[in-house]
Amino acid sequence: MYLRWRKDRMTMTIRDLDDSLNDYKRDQILFNGEKIREIFQEARKIKEAQQDFQRECQEMEKQREEGRNQTDRGNSESPEIEELQEEGKKKKNETELWARKYAPQGYADLLSDDAVNRNSITWMRLWDECVFKRRHTVQAIESRLNDRERMTFSMENRFGNRARRPHFKILLLTGPAGSGKTTLAGAIARLCGYATVELNASDSRNAPDFEKAIDGALRNQYTIDNGNKPNCLILDEIDGAPADAIKFLAKTIQGTGKKAIKRPIIAICNSLFTTSLRELRPLCLVLNVNAMRRERLVERLQKIAQIENVNIDTFSLEKLVELTECDVRSSLNTLQLLGNSNQGKRITAKQVEQAAESSVQNANKSLFEAFSMVLEFSRHLDNKGHLFSMKQRLQRIERVAIDQVATTQNYSLMKYMIVFYAKLHMIVATHAKTHFQIPQSDFQMLQKSKACTEVLSTLRGSRHAGLSALPLLFDVYPYLVQIVQPAMRATNETLYTKKEKDQIEHTIQVMIDYSLTFVPTTIDNDTKFVFQPPIDQVVQYPVTSSESSGTDLPNAARQMIAKKIELIKLGSSFSAISVDDSEDVPERSETPGGSSRMKQIEEQERNKNCSRTEAPVPETSGTIGQVHYRYNQGFSNAVKKPVRMMDLLN
Amino acid sequence: MALWVDKYRPREIGKLDYNNDLTEVLKSIVAREDFPHLLVYGPSGAGKKTRINCILKELYGSGVERTTLVTKTFTTPSNRKLDLQTVNSNYHIELAPGDVGNYDRIVVQDVIKEMAQFSQIDSEKQKPFKVVVLHEVDTLTRDAQHALRRTMEKYSRTCRLILSCESLSRVIDPLRSRCMAVRVSAPPTEEIESILERVVKKEKYDVTPKLLMEISEKSYGNLRRALLMTETLAAREQKLKEGMTIVEPDWELYLRETAGMILKTQNNETLLKVRERLYEVLSRCIPSNIIFSTLIRELLPACRPEAKVEVIHLAAEYQHRLCKGSKAIFHLEAFVAAFMELYCRIHKT
């Protein structure tokens, strides 16, 4: 798959290069035509070489299938090397990928980290009780573990006499490409006596496919052609599977009773933190297969080189391992390519570098690396530390530009992309190291403006706000925030003068009209009352000049206002006002604010009630006083006194 | 009805304060049996909405004031759900279809069709048509405007439109020709002064005429803003006297400060700081064309006469690019950079 994709891309870029060549010839844009054509022709040669290599790889893969039956498994025991060399010579013309040919057979051959190997095999053995009905192995394992490990490798609780299964039903191996995850999975499954059933990206993987695979492999006792071995399901490249399939998987492994899965599942992924894996992650035993130790890989490569009769020294091998970033697969592939093309001649470090660069490096360069290729001279130094000639530099940049940076979809313009990067390099390349950061501010702006739009749309839910948004935002809200925060003395509620009370009344009315209120919010262990919806965050800017010196309402006043708004909203504003006034009797006569407010509300209520009828009910604001309440119970006539409703409310 | 703006808004056609000629015209329109489609235009804060409400009241009586806020849901052909808030009464519906961006065409068609399909319940007593009020028509896309022109004719028997916008230039010709255009001009300063005085007196605040004059001058003919300014000042101090700093909206102050920074030093650091500030303004939903015009208003007076033409040219060019592009920050910053360069060139030689 990968090879084919790579090849397609290659041909596309070459076609583009041709196009751009013609265009340049016509346009003579940046450099003189001769020179640029020279550059591009050379670049094309490199591309073609690369393409040939890819094709070769593909052929190898095709022949791999046929070759599998004939080849002997290479074993790395030293006494046999002589013998194997003979064999290697015999089969000189046969091609099988070495990565496949020298795949580890036993536990001792595994290149990955010992701890990971041990842990995974321990987990595998935990299934013995369920699969092979061997209780003693599990007990043996449990006795060996320390406390922390016991947590990881715990078993299910025992129900009656049923065989227990491990707590984690799935082993999830993660790690970079070529670190031996698939190999490890296969090896431990075989070691523990299972037959492997593999499901990878080349199979279709919808939820039904998963179901079929799980049903077939795990629930059935034995499949016919695997002899007496139980199955172990290996889900390769699971991070590429569709989310619903993974959801299904997560659901399945949680099944109990008859639906419980009875065989181990090993899942393999490159990046653990793919979104689709979110549900699966807590259900798995996650083992991190890191890139392997360099010395270990070099040692193995040396052995293979010896067997395959490739003439290469340790230094070059180290270089190769470094360039491939300890990727076993790609280092073996490169070694094979070099061995085939050199036919017994000595392979130099330089050749290694070329081969590795063409096959590996471009493929996994990040955007940042691509840009530093353009912007730093240090990326363009030869062995002796001299800067390459301009031609060579442009060549390399062109490769980067096509491979990595050109991600827009406007293909007709793509041929000009290279010119931009070439020019960028010519103008700004430096010796210093460049640090790249993806700019955050735009994203932050987007987030913030989303929040602001949300606030504004909430505000518009109020009836008085009207419909056109812009005048509100430009004129009304900036002032509104200040109007509802009048200058007030910080004093007890009861000590306000009439005018101040009116002002508070007014503030409350305005805030209700525009559906604003204050809510308590804890900021730094301190409870503050803030606007809800947070209108101040939308309309108040960090202006430095003294011109807009809007006073902030003190917290206590905000709390009071919030309380009153709440009461009015609950419709129990009457009691609130009566409580306010009952404290200080002398002031009672001069507080018509409360009663007038009540009348207003009463009126509003009435309007609401009669809104269905066509003509409004005639003005009857005085009716409240006509309801009489007579206290008619009790032991003594002394307390019997006609009380008007008005007095109770006031 | 607590904000002075809402509280003292005239609710009947007879009580409108200024533009008396216009008031007469409106009266005669309403009095006639046949009511045309109206296109009300004029600057912000001149009283368009007040007049529309007065007209509605005159047409249908006080029943039109009993409104409910309804959130309507529309489905686009691509199956996206849109929400739009409308103000409904038995007789009319108000909406600002510019809010839904590119999908405004569907909204316009749906709403008008829905309105027009049901004729007035009691057509004997009432006018035989309902009214659709569309706010901010100049933000409508071309598509929506073209859709309007067909529906306007088709359903004119049962449905009349009142369109309102700030400027006619973005309303297509066919729409203009189908409507009776009514310009609501901003009130002159004296008029604003007298209105302010009346309001302040009713609210029982003391005020000096000089302060009122200052306020009405600073409001640039925007009566809404003038009233809000006065009320803000009243919220701060018990007595309104001259010498008080008149409050302007924060976003304008912020942009003025930004313009000051641009004029003070022209280098990379300033540009970066300006970028931060532009982001700040953009993130609070101020449209980019308003940012452009405010910046220009602040920058122009500081330029030499020979540079002014060029500055305006620059602004026009970058604003045009902004209309074509999608990321406002690029074009705003490009304009600032270009202005800095120009300013350096002309003023330092």
Side-chain angles (χ1 to χ4, degrees), chain A residues 422-556:
Chain A
K423 201 173 175 184
L424 189 69
H425 174 72
M426 300 314 292
I427 295 172
V428 298
T430 60
H431 288 282
K433 201 142 177 65
T434 50
H435 291 288
F436 262 101
Q437 260 184 330
I438 291 179
Q440 299 284 315
S441 45
D442 198 61
F443 179 67
Q444 281 167 1
M445 200 269 299
L446 201 70
Q447 297 266 307
K448 213 173 153 190
S449 74
K450 263 187 201 157
C452 285
T453 326
E454 188 57 41
V455 169
L456 288 178
S457 63
T458 324
L459 281 169
R460 284 174 67 192
S462 71
R463 200 142 56 96
H464 292 288
L467 279 171
S468 17
L470 292 184
L472 285 175
L473 180 62
F474 292 155
D475 294 338
V476 180
Y477 292 144
Y479 290 111
L480 185 66
V481 171
Q482 300 196 13
I483 288 171
V484 297
Q485 302 192 74
M488 270 205 286
R489 288 181 299 139
T491 169
N492 194 309
E493 214 182 308
T494 48
L495 298 177
Y496 284 130
T497 61
K498 178 177 175 292
K499 190 147 195 185
E500 277 170 323
K501 281 201 169 172
D502 282 352
Q503 212 167 27
I504 294 171
E505 203 63 40
H506 178 75
T507 302
I508 291 170
Q509 179 100 53
V510 171
M511 285 184 74
I512 291 175
D513 276 357
Y514 284 86
S515 62
L516 280 172
T517 181
F518 294 111
V519 289
T521 317
T522 314
I523 306 163
D524 302 335
N525 293 329
D526 199 14
T527 308
K528 289 213 166 100
F529 279 78
V530 295
F531 278 106
Q532 172 73 26
I535 181 177
D536 52 337
Q537 281 174 27
V538 179
V539 295
Q540 283 190 332
Y541 290 79
V543 183
T544 46
S545 70
S546 57
E547 276 181 64
S548 99
S549 53
T551 48
D552 268 7
L553 213 55
N555 215 18

Side-chain angles (χ1 to χ4, degrees), chain A residues 245-422:
Chain A
I246 290 180
K247 252 179 220 160
F248 167 77
L249 183 64
K251 215 176 81 192
T252 316
I253 59 171
Q254 281 169 307
T256 49
K258 262 197 170 172
K259 282 192 171 173
I261 53 161
K262 301 223 169 54
R263 299 287 178 267
I265 301 178
I266 303 176
I268 297 168
C269 68
N270 279 124
S271 66
L272 181 58
F273 295 100
T274 318
T275 23
S276 55
L277 286 182
R278 193 186 295 139
E279 286 180 34
L280 197 61
R281 234 180 286 139
L283 304 172
C284 302
L285 172 62
V286 180
L287 285 182
N288 225 332
V289 185
N290 295 320
M292 59 196 55
R293 291 217 326 278
R294 189 175 292 178
E295 308 88 73
R296 231 175 157 172
L297 180 57
V298 171
E299 203 181 312
R300 176 63 57 88
L301 287 179
Q302 237 168 346
K303 269 183 197 160
I304 293 172
Q306 219 172 343
I307 297 167
E308 287 289 342
N309 229 346
V310 177
N311 195 352
I312 188 164
D313 55 7
T314 321
F315 175 73
S316 311
L317 279 180
E318 272 170 4
K319 187 91 191 168
L320 173 64
V321 171
E322 186 189 327
L323 286 173
T324 56
E325 290 162 0
C326 291
D327 181 338
V328 186
R329 191 186 302 122
S330 79
S331 58
L332 266 175
N333 283 348
T334 316
L335 188 65
Q336 186 172 18
L337 170 75
L338 286 168
N340 278 352
S341 55
N342 277 41
Q343 301 291 355
K345 272 180 280 170
R346 188 161 188 80
I347 296 165
T348 61
K350 200 176 174 187
Q351 279 174 310
V352 169
E353 211 174 311
Q354 272 179 356
E357 194 179 319
S358 61
S359 69
V360 187
Q361 272 219 318
N362 275 342
N364 55 19
K365 228 178 231 156
S366 70
L367 183 69
F368 297 104
E369 252 179 276
F371 261 113
S372 52
M373 189 81 184
V374 175
L375 295 178
E376 286 171 26
F377 281 133
S378 59
R379 304 272 172 155
H380 299 278
L381 300 179
D382 60 8
N383 295 342
K384 289 171 192 153
H386 296 305
L387 202 60
F388 285 138
S389 69
M390 193 169 90
K391 194 173 93 184
Q392 274 170 307
R393 262 154 52 201
L394 289 181
Q395 229 170 57
R396 293 166 69 120
I397 285 166
E398 175 260 328
R399 206 184 305 156
V400 172
I402 285 186
D403 265 13
Q404 282 297 332
V405 188
T407 51
T408 52
Q409 299 195 349
N410 200 343
Y411 294 115
S412 59
L413 289 178
M414 204 159 110
K415 54 197 165 193
Y416 298 112
M417 287 290 267
I418 311 148
V419 182
F420 169 72
Y421 293 104

Side-chain angles (χ1 to χ4, degrees), chain B residues 182-337:
Chain B
V182 175
R183 179 172 163 81
V184 183
S185 52
T189 9
E190 303 82 51
E191 204 61 62
I192 294 184
E193 255 173 77
S194 72
I195 292 170
L196 287 183
E197 205 182 336
R198 225 179 308 149
V199 169
V200 168
K201 220 170 250 165
K202 271 185 201 158
E203 284 289 325
K204 300 194 185 84
Y205 278 95
D206 301 327
V207 73
T208 51
K210 191 136 185 246
L211 181 74
L212 289 185
M213 204 171 78
E214 268 177 54
I215 291 177
S216 49
E217 263 165 23
K218 278 239 172 158
S219 65
Y220 297 108
N222 187 337
L223 184 60
R224 184 193 308 118
R225 189 177 280 193
L227 278 166
L228 283 162
M229 277 174 178
T230 324
E231 193 177 355
T232 311
L233 289 183
R236 283 200 190 161
E237 306 266 347
Q238 296 296 330
K239 269 208 173 120
L240 299 169
K241 48 186 181 291
E242 50 196 294
M244 289 175 85
T245 43
I246 290 159
V247 189
E248 282 172 274
D250 267 5
W251 62 273
E252 277 196 12
L253 289 178
Y254 196 72
L255 280 176
R256 185 172 304 157
E257 264 181 32
T258 314
M261 281 167 65
I262 297 169
L263 291 170
K264 202 170 162 200
T265 40
Q266 294 87 31
N267 53 21
N268 287 344
E269 286 97 76
T270 323
L271 192 59
L272 279 178
K273 272 186 215 155
V274 168
R275 180 197 293 173
E276 286 301 310
R277 307 195 77 153
L278 289 176
Y279 265 133
E280 186 77 42
V281 181
L282 278 175
S283 72
R284 296 179 190 213
C285 304
I286 304 281
S288 42
N289 53 343
I290 300 289
I291 299 178
F292 253 116
S293 54
T294 317
L295 273 183
I296 280 290
R297 204 171 66 208
E298 302 297 336
L299 289 175
L300 262 191
C303 295
R304 283 192 195 166
E306 67 263 30
K308 279 183 179 165
V309 181
E310 242 175 298
V311 170
I312 292 172
H313 182 253
L314 275 181
E317 186 182 334
Y318 284 104
Q319 200 171 357
H320 175 67
R321 286 189 195 173
L322 188 147
C323 293
K324 287 172 105 182
S326 58
K327 272 215 186 292
I329 188 75
F330 292 163
H331 308 285
L332 282 167
E333 198 180 322
F335 166 69
V336 172

